[in-house]
Amino acid sequence: MIRIQEILDKVTELRPDADVALIQKAYVFSAAAHAGQTRLSGEPYLSHPLSVAYELACMRMDDVSIAAGLLHDTVEDTSASIEAIDAQFGEEVADVVDGVTKISLMTFESKEAAQAENIRKMILAMAEDIRVLIVKLADRLHNMRTLDFQKPHKQKLISQETMDIYVPLANRLGLHRIKLELEDLSFRYLRPEVFNSITEWLEENRSSGQEYIQSVIQLLSSMMTDNKIKAEIKGRIKYRYSIYRKMEQQHLTLDQVHDIIAFRVIVKDVRDCYAVLGLVHAMWKPVHGRFKDYISMPKANMYQSLHTTVMGPEGERIEIQIRTDEMDQMAEFGVASHWLYKEGGGGRLKARDVQQFTWLRELLDWQKMETDSKEFMRSLKFDLFKDEVYVFTPGGDVKELPEEASPVDFAYMIHTQVGDKCSGAKVNGKLVPLSTPLKNGDTVEIITDQHRHPSRDWLRFVKTAKARTRINHFIRTEERTRSISLGKEMLEKLGRRMDINVQKALKEGAFDAVAEEFNLKEVDELLSQVGYARLTPRKVLQRLLPKEAPEPEEKEVEPQQEESRVEHTHANSVGIKGVDDVLVRFARCCTPVPGEAIVGFISRGRGVTVHTSDCPNVQNLEAERLISVYWDGTEDKPYPARIKMISKNIMGMMAKVSDLLMQEKVNLDAGMFHSMVDGMSEMEFTVEVRDIAHLYRTIDKLRALDGMVEVSRLSSSD
């Protein structure tokens, strides 16, 4: 267990002018508040805030942060109030403790909407004072180090949360050491079998690895001495999760992983960095495409270093990082390494005050616009995890984008209006498709057209949250306009049959009371609900009929076969012209498959049912409720189809059919088989295919089998 004196010693060692009295006072308050409490490990609860404070002291954090580290659980877990902390330690300490408490109270087991709202609160707290997140990261680090005492399901839940949210945030703040340790600790619980196998492999090769590291350090040291360059040289085996990621990305086994040893050369100035790089490349052959200059183009978190991979002694690949001492401090401690408070200045460190928090300002901007919780969480995780590419504007300004970002992402980074009006792009002077992935060093010029608007197709290749949010916002706005128009048209059609003049009723305000009856704020919202098939036209127009003579509700004419195979989706694979966010079901009578012509039917209270255009049952449906639909192509999943086969009743026929279906990657879901009196066999199968081309290619190959007489697709009427 860490002692308070160890914290005070570390603080005075790194910052001699620190306010030790404030930290000592916070310790006394925390010890009294947590008296008698224990952790799951059996240790006194005070061991946790002490460990958090020590971690913050090692990071050279200011006195407010360390005091907040000691106090961070008092409001949540004891009878202490935030007002009491404010009174005794001041507003700054109280605000950081309050921010950390709000993050701690978030529950990641909640529904996605609640989780997204909690993450939004965390972003706002970070923007107000970045120390809130740094204290929380130190808190999470110690909790992960002691996760053994939690139940297995809790271990996985907390580890996944750490990997999804806290690891990328640590990376964004440049807290490299914390990021690496959190990754390894999470990896241990999320993939224990892989973690243990890598650990065993490293243990078996530890002695040879350490000998190799020492030999390379000796060679590098001799080279520095010969060239009169003062340098500190370190060598280490990479973290387990880093090794695992390399295995996954390059499809390697453990024995095939070679460049798992990294060396760091720390020199006096930038000139020496490039001098050492030249010497290293003269001694060992560099690996093509594995050199990165983060000194001339720092990462978004201000990380700077030269990275190169070379073929070292014994033909082993080794990674060498070359940097100055100041760069090394930044790499280890990120924002904490040049903390604004070290000069004795007061006040909060806000996102808008520091260049490296551009990403946080962007998060703040788009989180205000994105209302869809699922999309918000998806974009957040991508934005935090992204690897960067650096591209240039025609004027020579450097812009940071996520890996594989497109010219559309670049356009939205320049300005929202540039993105909205983007019609083309030039990369390095050549016209390219808007979906072209950008690479490091590209110069990008955007061509705009005042008549151009964002396209739904852009969502398939854009990578930044800002671009996705703006495109979705435009689409939602456009689709609402179309849904209002569609709803109005549907009401007018039925109104003519019911002898109701819808146009006149709208002008006279008759629909105002109807909207209010459905708890809707305005008539446009009522029309939109009809267009989205959330309300039926008849249900709305009945409200305009005299009370004493209500129009009888007609029973909807839909064939029994209409019911779907538990195939409900929110238009993930099918698009509806003019509307979005409608429940979509696939008709069982014709089992539509991507690629074939389809039509939608607005079902009463059950969204839109999709039929094939030539489905016989479509002829019996009300024409006014048929709408145009299309395959969106955004969902990759199997679709059911039924096929019938007649073959000669010979040995091995079923085996031939089964082998062919496996070769074509067609899953057999259900089937039946019976022999016919004429020596033939009849088989009916329900199979799962990707699209119509996949289905008919399979049918053609089945027809070509020896002994096969006939193969056809079935509908439920067959």
Side-chain angles (χ1 to χ4, degrees), residues 104 119 148 154 306 351 403 440 483 667 672:
S104 299
I119 296 294
D148 266 347
K154 273 284 194 180
L306 297 177
E403 203 169 32
N440 270 320
S483 70
N667 184 48
M672 57 178 288

Side-chain angles (χ1 to χ4, degrees), residues 522-711:
E522 56 185 9
V523 173
D524 277 353
E525 195 172 344
L526 176 71
L527 297 175
S528 178
Q529 293 286 309
V530 174
Y532 276 128
R534 293 170 185 155
L535 288 174
T536 63
R538 188 173 300 278
K539 193 172 185 179
V540 171
L541 292 180
Q542 278 180 333
R543 301 301 196 276
L544 298 180
L545 293 173
K547 297 286 184 184
E548 60 275 15
E551 175 77 9
E553 181 75 26
E554 291 182 11
K555 186 175 181 181
E556 183 168 342
V557 181
E558 284 190 63
Q560 187 65 32
Q561 296 94 330
E562 175 79 37
E563 295 303 320
S564 73
R565 307 167 41 94
V566 197
E567 198 65 60
H568 290 206
T569 174
H570 281 78
N572 289 331
S573 56
V574 171
I576 302 173
K577 290 185 178 178
V579 295
D580 197 5
D581 191 27
V582 178
L583 180 68
V584 171
R585 305 179 303 132
F586 295 101
R588 193 168 60 182
C589 53
C590 51
T591 56
V593 173
E596 63 184 328
I598 52 176
V599 65
F601 179 75
I602 302 175
S603 306
R604 194 179 305 282
R606 289 180 290 164
V608 173
T609 304
V610 177
H611 293 261
T612 58
S613 293
D614 57 358
C615 175
N617 290 319
V618 171
Q619 308 305 317
N620 301 322
L621 302 177
E622 295 177 51
E624 67 182 27
R625 290 162 64 188
L626 293 174
I627 61 172
S628 178
V629 296
Y630 59 91
W631 294 103
D632 199 355
T634 58
E635 188 171 19
D636 184 16
K637 68 171 188 177
Y639 290 79
R642 294 174 62 225
I643 55 176
K644 177 181 177 180
M645 291 170 277
I646 298 176
S647 71
K648 294 177 181 177
N649 193 354
I650 55 177
M651 187 177 295
M653 197 65 207
M654 277 293 294
K656 288 181 184 179
V657 171
S658 179
D659 286 345
L660 190 144
L661 292 178
M662 185 172 66
Q663 290 169 18
E664 292 300 309
K665 297 182 179 178
V666 174
N667 184 48
L668 181 58
D669 188 42
M672 57 178 288
F673 171 92
H674 68 272
S675 297
M676 300 163 67
V677 293
D678 58 358
M680 297 291 177
S681 295
E682 185 179 64
M683 294 171 275
E684 290 186 11
F685 290 158
T686 299
V687 297
E688 293 180 330
V689 294
R690 292 189 301 275
D691 50 37
I692 196 69
H694 189 201
L695 173 63
Y696 282 113
R697 184 172 63 247
T698 303
I699 289 175
D700 288 342
K701 292 193 176 183
L702 286 168
R703 285 171 177 161
L705 289 175
D706 289 340
M708 188 66 70
V709 176
E710 180 185 333
V711 185

Side-chain angles (χ1 to χ4, degrees), residues 213-417:
I213 289 172
Q214 290 306 314
S215 67
V216 171
I217 288 176
Q218 191 171 355
L219 286 170
L220 288 170
S221 297
S222 298
M223 182 178 70
M224 300 299 155
T225 302
D226 292 344
N227 289 275
K228 298 180 180 178
I229 297 175
K230 290 183 178 180
E232 180 185 359
I233 302 167
K234 303 175 183 177
R236 64 170 177 84
I237 295 173
K238 291 183 178 179
Y239 281 77
R240 294 168 184 81
Y241 184 70
S242 298
I243 295 171
Y244 168 72
R245 283 195 68 191
K246 185 176 291 293
M247 291 167 60
E248 286 284 291
Q249 290 168 356
Q250 300 179 20
H251 308 290
L252 304 173
T253 64
L254 265 172
D255 292 330
Q256 293 172 322
V257 179
H258 294 296
D259 50 339
I260 65 168
I261 298 176
F263 294 88
R264 189 177 303 163
V265 181
I266 302 168
V267 295
K268 185 177 67 173
D269 53 36
V270 173
R271 182 180 61 181
D272 285 347
C273 290
Y274 289 98
V276 170
L277 177 69
L279 293 169
V280 167
H281 283 180
M283 179 184 290
W284 296 308
K285 184 179 179 180
V287 177
H288 179 70
R290 296 298 301 274
F291 167 68
K292 292 181 180 177
D293 185 349
Y294 293 119
I295 292 179
S296 59
M297 286 199 295
K299 288 188 176 185
N301 57 20
M302 303 306 288
Y303 173 90
Q304 288 184 287
S305 185
L306 297 177
H307 287 200
T308 186
T309 301
V310 297
M311 302 300 294
E314 303 173 25
E316 287 287 335
R317 283 188 176 195
I318 56 175
E319 181 183 315
I320 299 177
Q321 301 170 357
I322 307 164
R323 60 183 70 147
T324 65
D325 184 63
E326 185 179 349
M327 293 173 190
D328 191 55
Q329 292 297 313
M330 172 63 78
E332 287 295 305
F333 301 110
V335 61
S337 68
H338 64 118
W339 194 250
L340 297 188
Y341 301 91
K342 64 187 177 184
E343 301 300 330
R348 293 170 173 75
L349 179 59
K350 296 187 179 182
R352 63 173 175 269
D353 299 326
V354 182
Q355 180 186 352
Q356 74 186 85
F357 298 145
T358 304
W359 61 273
L360 182 51
R361 293 199 300 273
E362 290 175 0
L363 280 184
L364 277 170
D365 290 340
W366 68 259
Q367 66 90 20
K368 294 173 186 174
M369 293 183 57
E370 185 55 72
T371 56
D372 182 80
S373 300
K374 185 176 179 181
E375 178 64 25
F376 172 77
M377 292 303 297
R378 195 197 74 81
S379 298
L380 173 71
K381 290 176 184 179
F382 184 87
D383 249 37
L384 292 178
F385 268 117
K386 67 184 181 184
D387 291 323
E388 303 89 3
V389 295
Y390 298 91
V391 298
F392 295 92
T393 66
D397 294 331
V398 179
K399 298 293 180 182
E400 177 218 341
L401 288 164
E403 203 169 32
E404 297 184 353
S406 67
V408 175
D409 293 294
F410 178 85
Y412 275 106
M413 173 165 280
I414 298 301
H415 196 278
T416 299
Q417 288 300 316

